Amino acid sequence: MELTNTLTMKKEAFAPHEPGKVKMYTCGPTVYHFAHIGNLRSYLMEDVLEKFLRYEGYEVDRVMNITDVGHLSSDADTGEDKMLKGAKREHKTVMEIAQFYTDAFFSDCEKLNIRKPDTVVPATSRIEDFIEMVGKLLEKGYAYQAGGNVYFDTSKLEKYYVFGNQNSEDLAVGVRDSVDADDNKRNKTDFVLWFTKSKFDDQELKWESPWGLGYPGWHIECSAISVRELGEYLDIHCGGIDNAFPHHTNEIAQSEAYLGHPWCKYWFHVLHLVDAGGKMSKSRGEFLTVSLLEEKGYDPLVYRFFCLQSHYRKPLTFSFDTLDNAAQAYQKLVSRIAALSKDGEPDLESAQPFREKFSQALGNDLNTSLGITVLYDLLKSNLSDATKRWLIADFDQVLSLNLLEAADKSAPQAPALSDEETAEIEALLQKRAEARKNKDWPAADAIRDELAARHVVMKDTPNGVEWHIEK
Ligand code: AMP
Ligand code: ZN
């Protein structure tokens, strides 16, 4: 399998540290508000990656954090904690907000068939680990205390900018982010590991630490949770592209300084969902959620289908027109599948070339739209219906579009018969069999016509006549 690795900005052959086993970490949501469908694009494509790895036979251990403290309004170290902002907005406590939006997030994920990671860790449950990591960074000389906070000293690193696409332009962006320059920082790229002094004194959640009562910076949580749960060597770290800098850059700085060796092999970043106004974000007032799509009558899986039709390394433009196109295409696909007969056994040998094509498509940097083309190709092929259905179920382990379920639901149902009607049909069939035995062809034909008028479909089998009502 090949994946684009943001570390090198190249497509690279994927080889985990331990053959057959993948350790995968995902930056989870900041639970101060609903996830918008842009956030969910990232989680959806990460879900496809995880499922494809499993499809290919890897054992995947996946961990996600829940950011319920420390993520400030700006991705740099300025502004109010997003959680506190959410709590104030809704006149609730931070923990109430966290619980509500964590549940809302996983409910959205369920609607989009995004599998919940094996391990989900709220940041506030690991404060001791963060304190331990910050302590070790101080001990090793990678951190310093100033003005009541603990900072990471980026000048102590051989290389701070690790991602291939980062240059001094990015640095400018990072600095522009910090509206108020922090005079405590020795270098402008330094970042906070532990806060005790913030302009916002009403921070609700604070913990005792060797550096005073305070709270962790956002970046430390992902490093500490990942190292604790997945060990010193990580295979894949995922997130939306906006997380590459400063969040992931800082995670690498901390983790490698702490561990003393390279940490994560592959950085999987999903590009943004944009709309006519630009990048979708929660700060832009009204934003699109899964519930809003449902209110407008869309099946959430249509949004999944929409996302799978484009490549994760390209920005995706959202509009209701393009979503409508996806809805129509999904419905058509489901109808074609509904027309397949459920009878017979699949021929696994003739299925194999399609399975290989699907695997090649997804294995080529997760080309999901090509994977869907293979699905259309197999529907057009001369494979038996049973084999087609078998392959659709197989591909859907990765695509998770509920294709067979939706088809079976949309297939017209035979009308239910009362016991009395069933008995009448059985009696007619019996009479027809007797007429045929007596070679009374006119009587047999008359009964056949009557059965046809009642929409009875008959099939002669070695065990007698099988019948059902036409759909
Ligand atoms: P947050 O809840 O703000 O921490 O973001 C959750 C995830 O969504 C992160 O991985 C972000 O990088 C990602 N993300 C944010 N905005 C977008 C967007 N417009 N399109 C795709 N992913 C996004
Ligand atoms: Zn993170």
Side-chain angles (χ1 to χ4, degrees):
M1 174 181 199
E2 289 198 327
L3 279 179
T4 298
N5 187 354
T6 316
L7 272 182
T8 55
M9 288 306 280
K10 285 199 188 104
K11 250 200 295 191
E12 289 177 20
F14 176 67
H17 287 95
E18 196 181 331
K21 291 196 174 156
V22 180
K23 291 179 186 293
M24 186 170 172
Y25 184 85
T26 297
C27 289
T30 309
V31 282
Y32 70 110
H33 218 320
F34 291 108
H36 60 59
I37 58 172
N39 302 129
L40 290 161
R41 179 193 191 199
S42 289
Y43 294 111
L44 212 148
M45 300 313 289
E46 292 161 10
D47 178 66
V48 175
L49 173 63
E50 177 190 350
K51 286 176 178 161
F52 181 63
L53 289 166
R54 290 184 194 273
Y55 181 84
E56 292 292 281
Y58 288 103
E59 216 177 277
V60 183
D61 194 356
R62 183 159 176 215
V63 174
M64 180 192 273
N65 69 307
I66 298 287
T67 298
D68 53 4
V69 68
H71 194 174
L72 305 188
S73 298
S74 116
D75 278 352
D77 300 321
T78 57
E80 201 173 4
D81 189 308
K82 290 187 180 191
M83 293 303 300
L84 193 61
K85 243 172 126 169
K88 279 186 186 162
R89 185 186 63 230
E90 299 185 19
H91 307 289
K92 295 207 175 106
T93 66
V94 162
M95 280 296 111
E96 280 167 351
I97 289 284
Q99 193 56 56
F100 179 81
Y101 288 112
T102 302
D103 293 347
F105 172 74
F106 285 116
S107 149
D108 285 346
C109 286
E110 212 177 303
K111 288 177 186 165
L112 292 168
N113 275 349
I114 297 171
R115 181 182 184 274
K116 192 172 179 177
D118 307 293
T119 310
V120 175
V121 185
T124 48
S125 70
R126 294 296 168 87
I127 302 295
E128 274 174 28
D129 286 351
F130 309 158
I131 291 174
E132 191 272 330
M133 194 174 245
V134 175
K136 183 97 170 266
L137 289 172
L138 276 163
E139 218 178 278
K140 286 182 128 187
Y142 284 103
Y144 58 91
Q145 283 181 264
N149 297 332
V150 184
Y151 294 85
F152 188 93
D153 186 346
T154 51
S155 70
K156 293 280 157 54
L157 299 168
E158 247 173 67
K159 200 170 168 225
Y160 174 61
Y161 285 98
V162 283
F163 291 122
N165 61 344
Q166 280 176 6
N167 49 36
S168 47
E169 275 295 293
D170 293 316
L171 175 67
V173 173
V175 172
R176 222 182 297 133
D177 244 4
S178 355
V179 188
D180 311 303
D182 181 345
D183 294 336
N184 295 319
K185 290 186 184 181
R186 290 182 191 163
N187 313 286
K188 54 186 169 180
T189 47
D190 291 355
F191 53 92
V192 178
L193 297 168
W194 186 267
F195 288 97
T196 67
K197 289 260 168 2
S198 143
K199 278 203 309 191
F200 297 92
D201 281 334
D202 53 352
Q203 177 73 8
E204 194 178 299
L205 299 175
K206 289 184 188 176
W207 294 264
E208 284 298 345
S209 81
W211 320 288
L213 189 68
Y215 59 100
W218 171 36
H219 316 299
I220 196 78
E221 65 179 72
C222 288
S223 289
I225 292 171
S226 173
V227 170
R228 157 78 71 183
E229 294 295 328
L230 295 166
E232 292 194 9
Y233 294 92
L234 186 61
D235 295 308
I236 307 179
H237 194 308
C238 315
I241 192 69
D242 59 313
N243 279 171
F245 183 82
H247 185 49
H248 293 162
T249 306
N250 293 350
E251 274 188 47
I252 295 171
Q254 300 161 151
S255 302
E256 298 194 350
Y258 173 82
L259 295 167
H261 59 69
W263 172 48
C264 176
K265 262 182 135 176
Y266 302 90
W267 287 83
F268 177 88
H269 286 122
V270 180
L271 270 80
H272 283 149
L273 183 77
V274 296
D275 62 15
K279 179 193 163 218
M280 202 160 283
S281 81
K282 292 175 203 176
S283 50
R284 270 190 26 219
E286 208 205 24
F287 55 86
L288 287 171
T289 58
V290 171
S291 314
L292 199 80
L293 294 187
E294 284 183 306
E295 276 166 33
K296 288 182 185 283
Y298 294 96
D299 175 346
L301 290 185
V302 163
Y303 179 64
R304 186 170 177 112
F305 188 63
F306 170 79
C307 289
L308 296 187
Q309 284 173 318
S310 73
H311 197 262
Y312 76 94
R313 288 285 326 185
K314 292 203 178 107
L316 174 59
T317 305
F318 177 85
S319 74
F320 280 103
D321 283 346
T322 45
L323 190 66
D324 284 339
N325 291 341
Q328 273 171 21
Y330 179 71
Q331 202 40 58
K332 240 171 147 174
L333 178 61
V334 166
S335 310
R336 285 176 70 177
I337 297 169
L340 299 175
S341 156
K342 286 193 203 163
D343 297 337
E345 289 298 316
D347 171 8
L348 300 193
E349 210 173 303
S350 63
Q352 207 47 37
F354 284 91
R355 209 175 183 270
E356 272 160 32
K357 272 197 212 159
F358 181 76
S359 174
Q360 271 165 17
L362 275 282
N364 183 2
D365 202 15
L366 217 65
N367 194 334
T368 45
S369 71
L370 195 59
I372 290 174
T373 306
V374 179
L375 184 68
Y376 283 113
D377 287 347
L378 92 87
L379 280 168
K380 270 186 270 171
S381 75
N382 54 12
L383 293 177
S384 72
D385 282 4
T387 311
K388 287 180 182 173
R389 279 181 65 97
W390 185 86
L391 275 167
I392 291 162
D394 183 64
F395 295 1
D396 220 24
Q397 292 174 64
V398 181
L399 304 176
S400 293
L401 292 167
N402 284 5
L403 292 170
L404 289 184
E405 294 90 324
D408 292 348
K409 253 199 245 158
S410 80
Q413 299 292 316
L417 293 181
S418 66
D419 289 350
E420 207 176 301
E421 286 167 321
T422 307
E424 278 168 23
I425 290 168
E426 297 281 0
L428 281 168
L429 285 168
Q430 184 65 33
K431 264 167 93 182
R432 177 174 169 261
E434 276 162 26
R436 285 168 63 133
K437 213 164 115 199
N438 300 333
K439 299 198 164 48
D440 182 354
W441 305 121
D445 286 352
I447 299 168
R448 188 198 56 208
D449 291 347
E450 192 179 342
L451 287 165
R454 290 173 176 241
H455 304 287
V456 175
V457 181
M458 291 177 288
K459 194 167 146 196
D460 287 310
T461 76
N463 303 326
V465 177
E466 279 180 8
W467 65 276
H468 64 264
I469 300 294
E470 198 174 32
K471 288 177 191 169

